[in-house]
mmCIF file of all heavy atoms in Angstrom:
data_model
loop_
_atom_site.group_PDB
_atom_site.id
_atom_site.type_symbol
_atom_site.label_atom_id
_atom_site.label_comp_id
_atom_site.label_asym_id
_atom_site.label_seq_id
_atom_site.Cartn_x
_atom_site.Cartn_y
_atom_site.Cartn_z
ATOM 1 N N THR A 1 -5.094 1.684 8.268
ATOM 2 C CA THR A 1 -5.954 0.535 8.424
ATOM 3 C C THR A 1 -6.637 0.623 9.814
ATOM 4 O O THR A 1 -6.063 0.980 10.809
ATOM 5 C CB THR A 1 -5.250 -0.861 8.229
ATOM 6 O OG1 THR A 1 -4.180 -0.898 9.326
ATOM 7 C CG2 THR A 1 -4.543 -0.930 6.954
ATOM 8 N N THR A 2 -7.945 0.239 9.834
ATOM 9 C CA THR A 2 -8.633 0.326 11.146
ATOM 10 C C THR A 2 -8.484 -0.987 11.916
ATOM 11 O O THR A 2 -8.815 -1.015 13.154
ATOM 12 C CB THR A 2 -10.044 0.518 10.860
ATOM 13 O OG1 THR A 2 -10.639 -0.458 10.031
ATOM 14 C CG2 THR A 2 -10.346 1.898 10.272
ATOM 15 N N VAL A 3 -8.109 -2.074 11.299
ATOM 16 C CA VAL A 3 -8.089 -3.412 11.906
ATOM 17 C C VAL A 3 -7.060 -4.281 11.272
ATOM 18 O O VAL A 3 -6.869 -4.167 10.029
ATOM 19 C CB VAL A 3 -9.494 -3.938 11.952
ATOM 20 C CG1 VAL A 3 -9.999 -4.376 10.605
ATOM 21 C CG2 VAL A 3 -9.621 -5.136 12.964
ATOM 22 N N GLN A 4 -6.492 -5.241 12.003
ATOM 23 C CA GLN A 4 -5.463 -6.168 11.492
ATOM 24 C C GLN A 4 -6.085 -7.018 10.340
ATOM 25 O O GLN A 4 -5.400 -7.458 9.454
ATOM 26 C CB GLN A 4 -5.034 -7.101 12.560
ATOM 27 C CG GLN A 4 -4.120 -8.186 12.198
ATOM 28 C CD GLN A 4 -2.845 -7.766 11.531
ATOM 29 O OE1 GLN A 4 -2.372 -6.710 11.762
ATOM 30 N NE2 GLN A 4 -2.238 -8.688 10.760
ATOM 31 N N CYS A 5 -7.437 -7.280 10.413
ATOM 32 C CA CYS A 5 -8.100 -8.211 9.402
ATOM 33 C C CYS A 5 -7.780 -7.765 7.961
ATOM 34 O O CYS A 5 -7.890 -8.555 7.120
ATOM 35 C CB CYS A 5 -9.580 -8.190 9.692
ATOM 36 S SG CYS A 5 -10.024 -8.592 11.354
ATOM 37 N N VAL A 6 -7.595 -6.472 7.625
ATOM 38 C CA VAL A 6 -7.380 -5.990 6.289
ATOM 39 C C VAL A 6 -5.947 -5.973 5.872
ATOM 40 O O VAL A 6 -5.645 -5.592 4.775
ATOM 41 C CB VAL A 6 -7.966 -4.593 6.152
ATOM 42 C CG1 VAL A 6 -9.533 -4.513 6.555
ATOM 43 C CG2 VAL A 6 -7.273 -3.502 6.914
ATOM 44 N N ALA A 7 -5.048 -6.293 6.755
ATOM 45 C CA ALA A 7 -3.610 -6.184 6.451
ATOM 46 C C ALA A 7 -3.172 -6.944 5.262
ATOM 47 O O ALA A 7 -2.404 -6.415 4.450
ATOM 48 C CB ALA A 7 -2.810 -6.701 7.674
ATOM 49 N N GLY A 8 -3.622 -8.180 4.978
ATOM 50 C CA GLY A 8 -3.301 -8.902 3.778
ATOM 51 C C GLY A 8 -3.691 -8.219 2.504
ATOM 52 O O GLY A 8 -3.043 -8.132 1.591
ATOM 53 N N VAL A 9 -4.975 -7.737 2.523
ATOM 54 C CA VAL A 9 -5.463 -7.099 1.337
ATOM 55 C C VAL A 9 -4.717 -5.767 1.062
ATOM 56 O O VAL A 9 -4.259 -5.473 -0.079
ATOM 57 C CB VAL A 9 -7.008 -6.710 1.532
ATOM 58 C CG1 VAL A 9 -7.517 -5.885 0.362
ATOM 59 C CG2 VAL A 9 -7.835 -7.991 1.680
ATOM 60 N N VAL A 10 -4.423 -5.031 2.052
ATOM 61 C CA VAL A 10 -3.666 -3.749 1.976
ATOM 62 C C VAL A 10 -2.200 -4.036 1.409
ATOM 63 O O VAL A 10 -1.743 -3.422 0.519
ATOM 64 C CB VAL A 10 -3.581 -2.966 3.229
ATOM 65 C CG1 VAL A 10 -2.702 -1.788 3.176
ATOM 66 C CG2 VAL A 10 -5.055 -2.447 3.579
ATOM 67 N N ASP A 11 -1.641 -5.127 1.971
ATOM 68 C CA ASP A 11 -0.271 -5.428 1.516
ATOM 69 C C ASP A 11 -0.301 -5.775 0.018
ATOM 70 O O ASP A 11 0.562 -5.289 -0.712
ATOM 71 C CB ASP A 11 0.254 -6.538 2.253
ATOM 72 C CG ASP A 11 1.648 -6.965 1.847
ATOM 73 O OD1 ASP A 11 2.553 -6.095 2.067
ATOM 74 O OD2 ASP A 11 1.869 -8.077 1.333
ATOM 75 N N PHE A 12 -1.290 -6.595 -0.412
ATOM 76 C CA PHE A 12 -1.414 -6.888 -1.801
ATOM 77 C C PHE A 12 -1.617 -5.648 -2.670
ATOM 78 O O PHE A 12 -0.996 -5.438 -3.744
ATOM 79 C CB PHE A 12 -2.546 -7.914 -1.982
ATOM 80 C CG PHE A 12 -2.582 -8.475 -3.383
ATOM 81 C CD1 PHE A 12 -2.016 -9.708 -3.598
ATOM 82 C CD2 PHE A 12 -3.182 -7.817 -4.493
ATOM 83 C CE1 PHE A 12 -2.135 -10.313 -4.864
ATOM 84 C CE2 PHE A 12 -3.346 -8.405 -5.706
ATOM 85 C CZ PHE A 12 -2.786 -9.708 -5.925
ATOM 86 N N ALA A 13 -2.468 -4.723 -2.219
ATOM 87 C CA ALA A 13 -2.833 -3.577 -2.925
ATOM 88 C C ALA A 13 -1.585 -2.623 -3.060
ATOM 89 O O ALA A 13 -1.387 -1.965 -4.103
ATOM 90 C CB ALA A 13 -4.025 -2.798 -2.253
ATOM 91 N N VAL A 14 -0.865 -2.496 -1.915
ATOM 92 C CA VAL A 14 0.310 -1.665 -1.911
ATOM 93 C C VAL A 14 1.376 -2.114 -2.985
ATOM 94 O O VAL A 14 1.958 -1.313 -3.718
ATOM 95 C CB VAL A 14 0.961 -1.576 -0.570
ATOM 96 C CG1 VAL A 14 2.349 -1.055 -0.553
ATOM 97 C CG2 VAL A 14 0.100 -0.722 0.422
ATOM 98 N N GLN A 15 1.530 -3.365 -3.068
ATOM 99 C CA GLN A 15 2.431 -3.918 -4.133
ATOM 100 C C GLN A 15 1.926 -3.624 -5.471
ATOM 101 O O GLN A 15 2.751 -3.231 -6.407
ATOM 102 C CB GLN A 15 2.611 -5.446 -3.925
ATOM 103 C CG GLN A 15 3.205 -5.864 -2.612
ATOM 104 C CD GLN A 15 4.493 -5.143 -2.270
ATOM 105 O OE1 GLN A 15 5.372 -4.930 -3.138
ATOM 106 N NE2 GLN A 15 4.615 -4.545 -1.062
ATOM 107 N N ARG A 16 0.709 -3.710 -5.724
ATOM 108 C CA ARG A 16 0.019 -3.374 -6.964
ATOM 109 C C ARG A 16 0.295 -1.776 -7.298
ATOM 110 O O ARG A 16 0.478 -1.424 -8.443
ATOM 111 C CB ARG A 16 -1.380 -3.712 -7.087
ATOM 112 C CG ARG A 16 -1.649 -5.182 -7.246
ATOM 113 C CD ARG A 16 -1.272 -5.624 -8.677
ATOM 114 N NE ARG A 16 -1.443 -7.067 -8.891
ATOM 115 C CZ ARG A 16 -2.568 -7.550 -9.557
ATOM 116 N NH1 ARG A 16 -3.586 -6.694 -9.926
ATOM 117 N NH2 ARG A 16 -2.734 -8.844 -9.780
ATOM 118 N N ILE A 17 0.050 -1.073 -6.306
ATOM 119 C CA ILE A 17 0.205 0.406 -6.475
ATOM 120 C C ILE A 17 1.722 0.766 -6.908
ATOM 121 O O ILE A 17 1.940 1.574 -7.759
ATOM 122 C CB ILE A 17 -0.224 1.226 -5.144
ATOM 123 C CG1 ILE A 17 -1.682 1.001 -4.974
ATOM 124 C CG2 ILE A 17 0.201 2.655 -5.305
ATOM 125 C CD1 ILE A 17 -2.117 1.565 -3.607
ATOM 126 N N LYS A 18 2.594 0.042 -6.165
ATOM 127 C CA LYS A 18 4.011 0.307 -6.514
ATOM 128 C C LYS A 18 4.383 -0.111 -7.927
ATOM 129 O O LYS A 18 5.086 0.531 -8.605
ATOM 130 C CB LYS A 18 4.890 -0.410 -5.518
ATOM 131 C CG LYS A 18 4.852 0.188 -4.056
ATOM 132 C CD LYS A 18 5.794 -0.593 -3.121
ATOM 133 C CE LYS A 18 5.803 0.057 -1.725
ATOM 134 N NZ LYS A 18 6.698 -0.651 -0.859
ATOM 135 N N GLU A 19 3.793 -1.167 -8.367
ATOM 136 C CA GLU A 19 4.049 -1.706 -9.668
ATOM 137 C C GLU A 19 3.364 -0.946 -10.735
ATOM 138 O O GLU A 19 3.903 -0.641 -11.834
ATOM 139 C CB GLU A 19 3.670 -3.215 -9.737
ATOM 140 C CG GLU A 19 4.493 -4.143 -8.858
ATOM 141 C CD GLU A 19 3.834 -5.518 -8.749
ATOM 142 O OE1 GLU A 19 2.856 -5.755 -9.416
ATOM 143 O OE2 GLU A 19 4.366 -6.419 -7.932
ATOM 144 N N GLN A 20 2.048 -0.664 -10.547
ATOM 145 C CA GLN A 20 1.270 -0.143 -11.626
ATOM 146 C C GLN A 20 1.077 1.419 -11.577
ATOM 147 O O GLN A 20 0.978 2.018 -12.714
ATOM 148 C CB GLN A 20 -0.136 -0.777 -11.627
ATOM 149 C CG GLN A 20 -0.087 -2.231 -11.813
ATOM 150 C CD GLN A 20 -1.471 -2.882 -11.681
ATOM 151 O OE1 GLN A 20 -2.461 -2.256 -11.751
ATOM 152 N NE2 GLN A 20 -1.518 -4.217 -11.653
ATOM 153 N N LEU A 21 1.059 1.927 -10.474
ATOM 154 C CA LEU A 21 0.767 3.460 -10.331
ATOM 155 C C LEU A 21 1.991 4.302 -10.070
ATOM 156 O O LEU A 21 2.126 5.403 -10.623
ATOM 157 C CB LEU A 21 -0.301 3.652 -9.260
ATOM 158 C CG LEU A 21 -1.657 2.966 -9.548
ATOM 159 C CD1 LEU A 21 -2.636 3.407 -8.396
ATOM 160 C CD2 LEU A 21 -2.254 3.398 -10.883
ATOM 161 N N LEU A 22 2.813 3.904 -9.118
ATOM 162 C CA LEU A 22 3.906 4.732 -8.618
ATOM 163 C C LEU A 22 4.748 5.259 -9.794
ATOM 164 O O LEU A 22 5.322 6.396 -9.673
ATOM 165 C CB LEU A 22 4.649 4.015 -7.527
ATOM 166 C CG LEU A 22 5.448 4.834 -6.620
ATOM 167 C CD1 LEU A 22 4.562 5.898 -5.943
ATOM 168 C CD2 LEU A 22 6.170 4.072 -5.527
ATOM 169 N N PRO A 23 5.115 4.451 -10.742
ATOM 170 C CA PRO A 23 6.030 4.989 -11.875
ATOM 171 C C PRO A 23 5.440 6.214 -12.534
ATOM 172 O O PRO A 23 6.264 6.993 -13.089
ATOM 173 C CB PRO A 23 6.066 3.719 -12.771
ATOM 174 C CG PRO A 23 5.831 2.561 -11.992
ATOM 175 C CD PRO A 23 4.823 2.971 -10.969
ATOM 176 N N ARG A 24 4.100 6.446 -12.422
ATOM 177 C CA ARG A 24 3.524 7.637 -13.025
ATOM 178 C C ARG A 24 3.752 8.821 -12.215
ATOM 179 O O ARG A 24 3.431 9.944 -12.646
ATOM 180 C CB ARG A 24 2.007 7.463 -13.153
ATOM 181 C CG ARG A 24 1.600 6.242 -14.004
ATOM 182 C CD ARG A 24 0.082 6.232 -14.037
ATOM 183 N NE ARG A 24 -0.406 4.842 -14.358
ATOM 184 C CZ ARG A 24 -1.689 4.527 -14.271
ATOM 185 N NH1 ARG A 24 -2.564 5.489 -13.948
ATOM 186 N NH2 ARG A 24 -2.051 3.266 -14.574
ATOM 187 N N TYR A 25 4.186 8.705 -10.943
ATOM 188 C CA TYR A 25 4.284 9.764 -9.991
ATOM 189 C C TYR A 25 5.677 9.862 -9.417
ATOM 190 O O TYR A 25 5.921 9.372 -8.277
ATOM 191 C CB TYR A 25 3.208 9.603 -8.832
ATOM 192 C CG TYR A 25 1.846 9.449 -9.398
ATOM 193 C CD1 TYR A 25 1.237 8.270 -9.442
ATOM 194 C CD2 TYR A 25 1.143 10.536 -9.933
ATOM 195 C CE1 TYR A 25 -0.144 8.095 -9.951
ATOM 196 C CE2 TYR A 25 -0.143 10.448 -10.408
ATOM 197 C CZ TYR A 25 -0.823 9.105 -10.437
ATOM 198 O OH TYR A 25 -2.105 9.033 -10.926
ATOM 199 N N PRO A 26 6.577 10.342 -10.100
ATOM 200 C CA PRO A 26 7.996 10.232 -9.741
ATOM 201 C C PRO A 26 8.393 11.022 -8.524
ATOM 202 O O PRO A 26 9.423 10.722 -7.885
ATOM 203 C CB PRO A 26 8.780 10.760 -10.969
ATOM 204 C CG PRO A 26 7.777 11.657 -11.683
ATOM 205 C CD PRO A 26 6.438 10.989 -11.442
ATOM 206 N N ASN A 27 7.547 11.930 -8.135
ATOM 207 C CA ASN A 27 7.899 12.759 -6.893
ATOM 208 C C ASN A 27 7.420 12.147 -5.637
ATOM 209 O O ASN A 27 7.506 12.735 -4.533
ATOM 210 C CB ASN A 27 7.302 14.196 -7.043
ATOM 211 C CG ASN A 27 7.966 14.974 -8.253
ATOM 212 O OD1 ASN A 27 9.156 14.840 -8.364
ATOM 213 N ND2 ASN A 27 7.174 15.689 -9.051
ATOM 214 N N VAL A 28 6.684 11.016 -5.745
ATOM 215 C CA VAL A 28 6.195 10.290 -4.570
ATOM 216 C C VAL A 28 7.222 9.257 -4.208
ATOM 217 O O VAL A 28 7.627 8.460 -5.011
ATOM 218 C CB VAL A 28 4.802 9.640 -4.782
ATOM 219 C CG1 VAL A 28 4.355 8.937 -3.587
ATOM 220 C CG2 VAL A 28 3.813 10.664 -5.195
ATOM 221 N N ASP A 29 7.688 9.301 -2.916
ATOM 222 C CA ASP A 29 8.811 8.433 -2.508
ATOM 223 C C ASP A 29 8.406 6.983 -2.280
ATOM 224 O O ASP A 29 9.143 6.090 -2.607
ATOM 225 C CB ASP A 29 9.446 8.984 -1.273
ATOM 226 C CG ASP A 29 10.098 10.334 -1.426
ATOM 227 O OD1 ASP A 29 10.892 10.459 -2.398
ATOM 228 O OD2 ASP A 29 10.016 11.204 -0.590
ATOM 229 N N ASP A 30 7.201 6.778 -1.830
ATOM 230 C CA ASP A 30 6.794 5.440 -1.436
ATOM 231 C C ASP A 30 5.319 5.445 -1.166
ATOM 232 O O ASP A 30 4.661 6.444 -1.019
ATOM 233 C CB ASP A 30 7.617 4.947 -0.226
ATOM 234 C CG ASP A 30 7.707 3.462 -0.123
ATOM 235 O OD1 ASP A 30 7.189 2.750 -0.992
ATOM 236 O OD2 ASP A 30 8.369 2.948 0.832
ATOM 237 N N VAL A 31 4.799 4.113 -1.166
ATOM 238 C CA VAL A 31 3.380 3.889 -0.706
ATOM 239 C C VAL A 31 3.526 2.781 0.388
ATOM 240 O O VAL A 31 4.242 1.792 0.168
ATOM 241 C CB VAL A 31 2.514 3.439 -1.828
ATOM 242 C CG1 VAL A 31 1.135 3.140 -1.428
ATOM 243 C CG2 VAL A 31 2.512 4.448 -2.987
ATOM 244 N N ILE A 32 2.844 3.057 1.581
ATOM 245 C CA ILE A 32 2.975 2.056 2.604
ATOM 246 C C ILE A 32 1.673 1.836 3.250
ATOM 247 O O ILE A 32 0.747 2.653 3.157
ATOM 248 C CB ILE A 32 4.024 2.540 3.747
ATOM 249 C CG1 ILE A 32 3.466 3.825 4.350
ATOM 250 C CG2 ILE A 32 5.389 2.724 3.157
ATOM 251 C CD1 ILE A 32 4.326 4.269 5.503
ATOM 252 N N GLY A 33 1.485 0.631 3.829
ATOM 253 C CA GLY A 33 0.301 0.328 4.676
ATOM 254 C C GLY A 33 0.642 0.512 6.094
ATOM 255 O O GLY A 33 1.633 -0.026 6.588
ATOM 256 N N LEU A 34 -0.213 1.179 6.947
ATOM 257 C CA LEU A 34 -0.010 1.363 8.351
ATOM 258 C C LEU A 34 -0.695 0.155 9.039
ATOM 259 O O LEU A 34 -1.765 0.257 9.579
ATOM 260 C CB LEU A 34 -0.619 2.672 8.816
ATOM 261 C CG LEU A 34 0.002 3.895 8.183
ATOM 262 C CD1 LEU A 34 -0.680 5.202 8.797
ATOM 263 C CD2 LEU A 34 1.488 3.971 8.328
ATOM 264 N N GLU A 35 0.041 -0.958 8.905
ATOM 265 C CA GLU A 35 -0.470 -2.294 9.548
ATOM 266 C C GLU A 35 -0.160 -2.226 10.987
ATOM 267 O O GLU A 35 0.826 -1.785 11.466
ATOM 268 C CB GLU A 35 0.254 -3.430 8.911
ATOM 269 C CG GLU A 35 -0.126 -4.738 9.426
ATOM 270 C CD GLU A 35 0.774 -5.889 8.993
ATOM 271 O OE1 GLU A 35 1.537 -5.637 8.065
ATOM 272 O OE2 GLU A 35 0.697 -6.942 9.661
ATOM 273 N N HIS A 36 -1.144 -2.802 11.755
ATOM 274 C CA HIS A 36 -1.091 -2.940 13.163
ATOM 275 C C HIS A 36 -1.855 -4.044 13.713
ATOM 276 O O HIS A 36 -2.648 -4.672 12.875
ATOM 277 C CB HIS A 36 -1.458 -1.615 13.912
ATOM 278 C CG HIS A 36 -2.913 -1.224 13.530
ATOM 279 N ND1 HIS A 36 -4.018 -1.617 14.175
ATOM 280 C CD2 HIS A 36 -3.303 -0.429 12.449
ATOM 281 C CE1 HIS A 36 -5.059 -1.076 13.653
ATOM 282 N NE2 HIS A 36 -4.681 -0.405 12.573
ATOM 283 N N SER A 37 -1.883 -4.459 14.995
ATOM 284 C CA SER A 37 -2.667 -5.553 15.477
ATOM 285 C C SER A 37 -3.856 -5.171 16.312
ATOM 286 O O SER A 37 -4.490 -6.053 16.907
ATOM 287 C CB SER A 37 -1.767 -6.499 16.332
ATOM 288 O OG SER A 37 -1.191 -5.735 17.404
ATOM 289 N N TYR A 38 -4.308 -3.917 16.115
ATOM 290 C CA TYR A 38 -5.434 -3.464 16.930
ATOM 291 C C TYR A 38 -6.717 -3.383 16.149
ATOM 292 O O TYR A 38 -6.725 -3.827 15.001
ATOM 293 C CB TYR A 38 -5.083 -2.001 17.501
ATOM 294 C CG TYR A 38 -5.966 -1.589 18.583
ATOM 295 C CD1 TYR A 38 -6.010 -2.030 19.782
ATOM 296 C CD2 TYR A 38 -6.883 -0.511 18.377
ATOM 297 C CE1 TYR A 38 -6.714 -1.564 20.819
ATOM 298 C CE2 TYR A 38 -7.649 0.037 19.356
ATOM 299 C CZ TYR A 38 -7.692 -0.643 20.642
ATOM 300 O OH TYR A 38 -8.427 -0.128 21.648
#
């Protein structure tokens, strides 16, 4: 993420990716957002 302003959207999207997409890719350990305050 380039800015803190997008953190909420990214967090929502990451949860959707984990629920809807990640089960299709069993060799991927996790999906995370690199959230920061800058």
Side-chain angles (χ1 to χ4, degrees):
T1 61
T2 58
V3 68
Q4 171 66 22
C5 308
V6 304
V9 173
V10 171
D11 181 66
F12 190 96
V14 164
Q15 298 309 314
R16 282 294 180 94
I17 293 171
K18 290 181 178 182
E19 294 168 4
Q20 298 178 11
L21 299 181
L22 202 55
R24 304 179 202 169
Y25 305 104
N27 295 318
V28 180
D29 293 315
D30 204 357
V31 179
I32 63 173
L34 300 181
E35 178 193 345
H36 57 88
S37 58
Y38 194 68

